[in-house]
Amino acid sequence: MTDIQEWEGQLEQELAEIRRSGDRLADAVAAVRGRGEGRGVLVEVDAGGDITDTADKQPSGVCRLEHVPLV
């Protein structure tokens, strides 16, 4: 029985590490930004599709960019 208990303990530790890694990955993905320029306007978009910055500094308020590729 000891071998099975040790193995379960090891699996629990590995699972905890996988969860921590997943949390770190989720944080890193949330920080991803994309930039595109079209017609002289530079736009920065986060991973969720929200515009986070523009070159001409439009008034505050979050705009959604849905399925529009920035070229």
Side-chain angles (χ1 to χ4, degrees), residues 49-67:
D50 294 325
I51 295 174
T52 58
D53 197 9
T54 60
D56 59 356
K57 303 294 183 193
Q58 293 292 321
S60 64
V62 175
C63 300
R64 291 288 296 174
L65 184 63
E66 296 290 337
H67 306 293

Side-chain angles (χ1 to χ4, degrees), residues 3-6 10 13 18 22 28 33 45 47 58 61 63 71:
D3 290 338
I4 291 175
Q5 290 172 341
E6 289 176 9
Q10 182 180 0
Q13 290 175 354
I18 290 169
R33 300 280 188 264
V45 182
Q58 293 292 321
C63 300
V71 183

Side-chain angles (χ1 to χ4, degrees), residues 4-60:
I4 291 175
Q5 290 172 341
E6 289 176 9
W7 180 69
E8 286 177 342
Q10 182 180 0
L11 286 178
E12 287 177 11
Q13 290 175 354
E14 290 175 6
L15 180 58
E17 178 59 31
I18 290 169
R19 287 183 175 146
R20 285 190 296 274
S21 295
D23 290 342
R24 288 192 302 268
L25 178 61
D27 291 342
V29 167
V32 169
R33 300 280 188 264
R35 289 187 181 163
E37 185 175 348
R39 299 183 185 196
V41 176
L42 177 66
V43 178
E44 181 181 274
V45 182
D46 68 11
D50 294 325
I51 295 174
T52 58
D53 197 9
T54 60
D56 59 356
K57 303 294 183 193
Q58 293 292 321
S60 64

